[in-house]
Every structure is written in C-alpha cells, then in structure tokens.
Amino acid sequence: MSQNLLCEETSPYLLQHKDNPVHWRPWGPDALMEAKVANKPILLSVGYAACHWCHVMAHESFEDDEVAAVMNELFVNIKVDREERPDIDTIYMSALHAMGEQGGWPLTMFLTPEGEPFWGGTYFPKTAAYGRPGFADVCREIARIYHDESDKVATNKDAIRKALQDQAKAGAQGEPAPDVLDTVADRLAGHIDPEHGGVGGAPKFPQPFLLELLWRAWLRTGDDRHRDAVTHTLTRMVQGGIYDHLGGGIARYSVDERWLVPHFEKMLYDNARLIELLNLVTLGTDDPLFPERLHETVNWVLREMVTPEGAFGASLDADSEGEEGKFYVWTEAEIDTSLSAFSSADVARFKQAYDVTAAGNFEGHTILNRLDQPDQLDRDTEALFARMREVLFETRAPRIRPAWDDKVLTDWNGQMIAALARAGAAQNEPTWVEAATRAFNFIRTQMIINGRLHHAFRAGRVQHLAMADGYANMIRAALALHETTGEPAFLSQAEAWAEEVHAHYWDVEGAGFFFTADDAEALVVRTRSVTDDATPSANGTMIENLARLWFLTGKETYRGRANKIIRTFAGELSRNFFPMCTYLNGLDTLLNAVQVVIAGDGHPADELRRIALTSPLPSLVLNMASADLPISHPAHGKTVPDDARAAAYVCQGTTCSLPLTDPDALHSMLARPL
C-alpha cells in the first residue's frame, strides 16, 4: 500500500490531511504490521484540528511533494488526532518529556515498528530555522540511525520505556500533611503575578484548577489574599485580548504575560472551567463584570458549540483563511466604518477603552481588549459600549469563520455539562440546565456500546472506549445534574459509572485509576497519573466524585476508594504540587464539604434548595433525600419543625446546624467564608 489512507476517518483533524502527498495511515495494527514487514521506523505525527502550528507544519512539509517523498521512502507515517486518541498522545508526550524536551503540538515522534519511541520533537520547519534542522534532514538522519546504529536506538527506547513504566508505577504510600491545603494555597498565592495576574510569564495559561484552589482557600480560611488573587487574575483574563469581547469565550492561552495576544483557538474544556469559575466568583462577589462575562460565554457555547445531536463540539480553530486570528482582529478604519452611526466622541471613547489605534497592537491590527481600562465604567457608558460591540459582532459575522471541530468527546462534554448545570441553577437560567441535560442524555443513550461508555462521536460513528477521565467527568456531570435538579436517576447513573470505572480501570496493585481500560487496545505502556494537564486528571476528579457519592449515599466504599487514591499519590505533593490542584480540591471536598440537607417538600423546600444552589462554595453538597440518610450521617433523623413545611440543615464533619426554615438565614450561612 502506498496511498494516503485517511479519507475514511471521521476526525476533522485527520480529514484535513487526507489529500497530503504523505502516505498517512491511521493508528492501528495494520500500520504497525506494515512497519514490521517493511522494516521501517514509524513517523508518528500527533495534533488537533484547532492547532495553529499543526497547520504551519502541514503547509510547509506535509503538503510539499519533496518532503513527502522523503517521509514515504523512509517511514511508515501515522497521523493521530490527540483529542480522539488521548491514550496515544499521553504516552508519546510523556516520552518526549522523558527525553528532556518541552512538549507541545504538533508532536513528532519516531518509533520502532513495535510502537516504542526512541526520538522526537514538536514542530520542525521545512528548512533549517529557529535553531532547528530542516524536517527532511531530520527524517534522513533518524532513518540512518535506525538502520545503521541500532544499538543507539535500543538504548534510547529502553531508557524511555523504563521512564514511562516508572511514571505509571505506584509511588510510596503516604498521608497528606494536615495543613497541606493551606500551605499549598499560601505558596501558590505567592506566585500570582501582582500586576497581570496568573502564574509565570509568557506564555500564560488560565489555570482554572489553581484558581479554584485559591478560591476554596479563601472560603475555608477567610484570608482575603486568596480571594484577591482569583478576582485579580480573572479580571485581567476576561478584560484581556485572550477573551473574545464580541462573541464571548476565552482562547487557549496568551502568548504574552499581559493576556493581550491569544493563541486564538477556543477549546470546549477551557470555557467549561471558565464558566464554573465565573459562576463561583459571581456568587461570592458583587463585581458586575463577572456575571456579564459568564452570560456572554454561555451564550457563545449555546450559539456556536452545540452539535445537531444536542451535545457539544470540541473546538474552534485558531486560523481562518490561512492566518491565525484573522477572524477576530480589526483595523482602526474598520472600527470607524462599522461604528459610523455613533457620534465621533462616542467612537473615540470606545477606541480608547478597547485599545484601538492606527498602529494596532498585533501585527498592524487590533485585538480588542480592556487591559488599560479594566474597571467597569458608569452604567450608561457600559450600555453604550455593549451596543457598539453588538454592531461589531454583526459586522464580523460575514467573515470567513474559523473551522469548527464538531466531534463530541465524552470527557470534555462532561466538564461542560457540569458547568452549565451548576451555573444554570445558580443564575436561575433554566435553559442552561436544559442544554446540559440534553447533552448528558445524548452521551448516556448514544455513546454506550455493549454497556460501555465510549470516547468520541462524529458523523454517526461512536469510537474508542472511554478513558478514565471520560468516566470521571461524566460522573461529575451526573452528580451536578442530580444536585441541581433533584432527579434520583442522575445519582443512579453516577453510581453505575463509578462501579464500571472501578471494574475496568482500577489499579488493583497500587490503587488509583489507569488511563485506559483493562480490555482496551494494548499500547507500549498503560499510564496512570494524578497530574492535571490542559484538562483535570482522572484520579483527582474521582476523589471529588467519590467524596460526593459518599456524602450523598453514605456508602463507605466510596470514601474508602477516595482515601486510597489520596494516599497513593500523596508522595507526589512533595515533588511538585503545581499540577495537583484537582487532587487537592478533591481532598478539600472530602475533608471540608459543607452539606446542605433539606427535609420537607413543596414550595418551601424548593426555595431552600434554590438558595443552597446559589452558594459560592465549590465543596457544597446538596442532599434532598433526608429520609434516606444512613445512621452514620450527621443529619440522620433530622425532621421538619412542627411549625414549618421544610427545613435545611447545614452540616460540616459530624455536626449540623439547627433547622433553618428561612431562606434568608440559609443564604447568610452559605454566602460567607466558613
């Protein structure tokens, strides 16, 4: 076989490459066997549809006949969509890190015919540049080494394999220090950029899990430094160029430390976590900026990211018409023309507020932002600016849009479902909860084959067993829908999936969850991790899930599993706690959850439930089934006072409040640091 074999795939990323002169194969046993028979190394290229540098390398090298000829002669070439096959991506990205290289996409790895990595990198230019060799020269040298210096290949692949196996092994069991949550929060707060917010310099990522950890620390301790670190960072982000001031939603990251110039792709998971964070901060502060950005971002999701099936697509591309960000940027002349119906004085005020100048702030164009005027202005001025933004939004609409990757990913949908369910309930936006429910029902009914949850759907095809984070995020979504709607079916589904993920992903020797199922395709290593990446770790997410299941059902099995995960990975905290925020947030819920148990029924119970859902506490657990509580639960046996129809009990640890029948009293108790 010699032709490109991607035309039958469903992934938009793979289909972008179906006409390349490179003889691409999809990942699978046929491609590996071809490499073995031909005694050729494998060139593995991993990317995703919204990736700008993936497009650059494709245009420079994969669409070039001469470069393609070198690749075809020397390698079996395999193309992988990292979003469709995160199990493959995580292995080979970890391999690159084990080589001491910085990760990123496109990921370019060189493998033996058995799939074992022995060398790699990320983006390679077609010709030598940026201190990197030209890609064709790289290919020739790697192929030469493979055939002529097999001892060097063997040494590399064995060292990398050992590093990957060591990463997946259980570390020393331990217990987190009693003060670990406060200690980590204090240290993280010290790393927040006091001027621009966020952590570190360029590039700067939103890091919502870290901000949630600081938010929890404020609510737990009352230390305003933690709250201020969150609100300052969030303000700079949503007033920066990384935020789309016309359409809503946040881009993947900022290439500078000020949040001005985004990497323009919009990912579903980033915006799911932004919605969650904006909702919490809206509920815990009185700054009008946050609810405005919350509603704008949800409106963008519901307008542009919903698939015909009612689930959520994966991403919007960084590029349009072959240029990064072209859809989003403006010239001053375009702004002036578009806003010609407004007075020149009003247009001048808008341009000053949104950093519009003749020179621009990005390659001769302007990225709209409010970094120099982040504070909300008077109501009339903000209303005027809103009308102007609406005009610019309509003016922008006919432009050639960035491509939409409309594949449905279980793990990313789970994050968005949970975000919309909780924000919709808190903000009294029932359409948000309805959208979350539709997406959940699609996955629950259409993405299960032979009783097993699957990972990806597109063009009518369901593919690949779900990874552990798919289960973790869908369990989290089910629990969010249960607590916000009171429907017991969601809790039942969460319990069913919790048993399923335990049966097929649990590490019986070391505890914790492997990334792939015990009956999934065998890869060179079965990974297991607690560290967050762009998305939260499965093990960290499951700590929170298991804690909630224990609080809601009283079943000690769930608490026992959560504690096993916590102990298994506790040793990692002393090495690097930065990527363990989801783990720590789950630990906080297990140790410090605020349980609201509502007894009674009718409108009074509904009012108490509504108030509980407006709490800014991410560790709040809402239980409407007071009569079913086990004897071990602190609210067991609590009833409605004789002079009321409903009552709420707020419980922490082993103690509960007196019955609260007044919604205002419940609101006061849940609206402040506890």
Side-chain angles (χ1 to χ4, degrees):
M1 288 189 296
S2 61
Q3 70 273 24
N4 187 315
L5 301 181
L6 298 183
C7 61
E8 297 300 320
E9 297 300 305
T10 61
S11 158
Y13 176 67
L14 298 187
L15 292 174
Q16 287 173 359
H17 295 271
K18 67 181 177 62
D19 297 320
N20 292 170
V22 178
H23 298 159
W24 292 119
R25 280 88 177 88
W27 179 275
D30 291 346
L32 298 179
M33 181 57 67
E34 182 182 345
K36 293 175 185 176
V37 170
N39 189 28
K40 288 183 177 182
I42 292 168
L43 193 163
L44 174 67
S45 178
V46 183
Y48 57 103
C51 169
H52 170 70
W53 285 103
C54 299
H55 301 329
V56 173
M57 191 166 179
H59 296 323
E60 289 179 348
S61 295
F62 304 151
E63 297 171 7
D64 183 90
D65 290 332
E66 293 183 3
V67 176
V70 173
M71 295 171 64
N72 296 336
E73 177 188 356
L74 301 177
F75 300 95
V76 170
N77 301 289
I78 298 178
K79 177 62 77 173
V80 165
D81 179 345
R82 69 170 293 259
E83 298 167 357
E84 189 176 74
R85 294 301 305 267
D87 51 340
I88 294 171
D89 177 65
T90 192
I91 289 172
Y92 295 108
M93 186 61 73
S94 296
L96 185 66
H97 293 155
M99 299 175 199
E101 298 289 333
Q102 186 173 355
W105 296 275
L107 173 62
T108 308
M109 295 296 294
F110 297 94
L111 322 177
T112 69
E114 292 73 30
E116 296 176 302
F118 63 90
W119 197 75
T122 53
Y123 162 78
F124 290 95
K126 177 184 174 182
T127 55
Y130 315 117
R132 298 172 182 235
F135 188 55
D137 293 335
V138 169
C139 290
R140 293 187 186 98
E141 180 62 10
I142 292 297
R144 185 196 67 76
I145 292 172
Y146 176 79
H147 291 291
D148 298 345
E149 300 182 30
S150 57
D151 56 336
K152 184 179 292 186
V153 172
T155 299
N156 278 12
K157 73 179 180 65
D158 290 347
I160 294 168
R161 173 186 277 274
K162 183 179 185 304
L164 295 176
Q165 290 172 338
D166 289 346
Q167 287 177 14
K169 287 179 181 177
Q173 296 276 319
E175 294 279 353
D179 61 348
V180 64
L181 294 172
D182 294 342
T183 298
V184 170
D186 288 343
R187 292 182 64 182
L188 289 175
H191 284 278
I192 295 293
D193 181 339
E195 182 177 1
H196 305 298
V199 175
K204 189 168 276 185
F205 291 82
Q207 297 186 290
F209 322 124
L210 184 153
L211 295 176
E212 182 186 324
L213 185 149
L214 292 174
W215 184 256
R216 286 170 176 261
W218 169 59
L219 292 165
R220 190 175 59 248
T221 68
D223 187 337
D224 289 346
R225 291 180 306 139
H226 302 320
R227 178 200 60 199
D228 295 345
V230 175
T231 56
H232 175 57
T233 298
L234 193 55
T235 297
R236 301 299 297 182
M237 284 196 301
V238 300
Q239 293 290 52
I242 191 175
Y243 185 81
D244 180 359
H245 289 261
L246 302 184
I250 201 166
R252 179 71 194 93
Y253 63 86
S254 172
V255 303
D256 61 275
E257 65 180 6
R258 295 183 62 233
W259 307 105
L260 173 62
V261 180
H263 194 35
F264 287 90
E265 66 209 47
K266 289 183 184 178
M267 314 303 294
L268 186 71
Y269 56 82
D270 286 319
N271 285 281
R273 293 303 174 138
L274 177 66
I275 288 168
E276 287 205 20
L277 189 60
L278 284 169
N279 179 53
L280 291 172
V281 178
T282 293
L283 297 171
T285 68
D286 57 4
D287 190 326
L289 174 65
F290 301 128
E292 181 177 309
R293 293 291 183 265
L294 171 61
H295 282 76
E296 290 169 355
T297 301
V298 173
N299 289 343
W300 165 71
V301 171
L302 300 184
R303 184 180 65 244
E304 300 188 23
M305 298 300 285
V306 178
T307 71
E309 297 81 16
F312 302 104
S315 64
L316 290 180
D317 207 324
D319 298 7
S320 55
E321 300 182 73
E323 295 183 26
E324 185 180 16
K326 185 173 182 178
F327 180 78
Y328 298 101
V329 299
W330 298 82
T331 65
E332 184 182 37
E334 289 172 330
I335 295 287
D336 289 337
T337 300
S338 301
L339 299 181
S340 59
F342 296 88
S343 73
S344 58
D346 287 342
V347 173
R349 292 168 69 195
F350 180 90
K351 291 195 297 184
Q352 182 181 25
Y354 284 88
D355 193 23
V356 179
T357 63
N361 54 32
F362 173 69
E363 299 178 354
H365 291 76
T366 290
I367 300 168
L368 297 176
N369 72 91
R370 292 275 296 265
L371 288 172
D372 291 334
Q373 293 190 15
D375 295 334
Q376 292 285 89
L377 303 176
D378 63 88
R379 183 177 300 179
D380 289 343
T381 300
E382 292 295 346
L384 171 66
F385 287 172
R387 294 194 298 273
M388 290 175 155
R389 293 197 307 272
E390 186 175 348
V391 170
L392 293 176
F393 176 76
E394 296 297 331
T395 303
R396 189 179 76 175
R399 295 179 180 177
I400 295 176
R401 302 182 64 81
W404 179 35
D405 185 336
D406 61 347
K407 67 177 177 289
V408 176
L409 300 173
T410 300
D411 50 339
W412 296 8
N413 268 256
Q415 294 183 68
M416 184 57 74
I417 291 165
L420 290 178
R422 295 199 182 279
Q427 304 299 325
N428 193 26
E429 294 283 358
T431 58
W432 301 2
V433 181
E434 291 165 7
T437 304
R438 281 194 300 272
F440 183 90
N441 287 336
F442 171 77
I443 292 171
R444 183 182 59 81
T445 60
Q446 302 302 313
M447 293 186 67
I448 293 178
I449 301 176
N450 297 325
R452 299 286 292 283
L453 189 63
H454 278 58
H455 174 65
F457 170 91
R458 188 176 184 272
R461 285 167 57 184
V462 176
Q463 299 186 84
H464 315 301
L465 282 172
M467 271 53 81
D469 58 350
Y471 276 95
N473 282 299
M474 286 305 297
I475 293 168
R476 188 169 180 269
L479 292 171
L481 284 168
H482 168 68
E483 292 185 55
T484 55
T485 68
E487 291 294 331
F490 292 119
L491 179 59
S492 297
Q493 182 64 78
E495 290 202 78
W497 279 334
E499 292 310 307
E500 201 170 298
V501 72
H502 187 81
H504 290 287
Y505 299 76
W506 186 256
D507 180 358
V508 295
E509 295 182 1
F513 294 98
F514 286 111
F515 194 57
T516 54
D518 53 5
D519 55 351
E521 175 188 355
L523 301 172
V524 294
V525 68
R526 195 177 179 203
T527 60
R528 191 198 62 150
S529 174
V530 73
T531 57
D532 299 326
D533 200 340
T535 54
S537 74
N539 279 293
T541 304
M542 283 304 299
I543 295 171
E544 170 101 15
N545 289 341
L546 292 165
R548 286 184 180 275
L549 284 168
W550 173 54
F551 290 128
L552 290 166
T553 69
K555 297 177 183 178
E556 288 292 331
T557 299
Y558 295 132
R559 180 169 65 164
R561 292 175 185 171
N563 279 323
K564 285 181 179 179
I565 300 172
I566 290 165
R567 294 185 182 114
T568 293
F569 295 107
E572 300 293 324
L573 289 167
S574 63
R575 285 184 279 275
N576 185 10
F577 56 77
F578 269 89
M580 294 182 65
C581 291
T582 300
Y583 168 99
L584 290 166
N585 290 337
L587 175 63
D588 178 50
T589 295
L590 183 66
L591 297 179
N592 302 308
V594 176
Q595 296 189 70
V596 177
V597 179
I598 297 178
D601 54 22
H603 179 72
D606 290 341
E607 272 298 291
L608 292 171
R609 177 173 154 274
R610 183 185 66 79
I611 292 298
L613 292 170
T614 64
S615 169
L617 293 161
S619 60
L620 183 138
V621 179
L622 176 59
N623 198 326
M624 296 289 289
S626 61
D628 300 327
L629 294 175
I631 194 170
S632 59
H633 197 285
H636 175 77
K638 302 290 187 183
T639 59
V640 181
D642 292 338
D643 59 348
R645 288 186 55 192
Y649 295 87
V650 179
C651 308
Q652 277 192 287
T654 60
T655 62
C656 297
S657 69
L658 295 172
L660 300 169
T661 59
D662 180 3
D664 290 339
L666 179 61
H667 179 269
S668 296
M669 180 168 283
L670 298 178
R672 66 179 189 273
L674 297 176

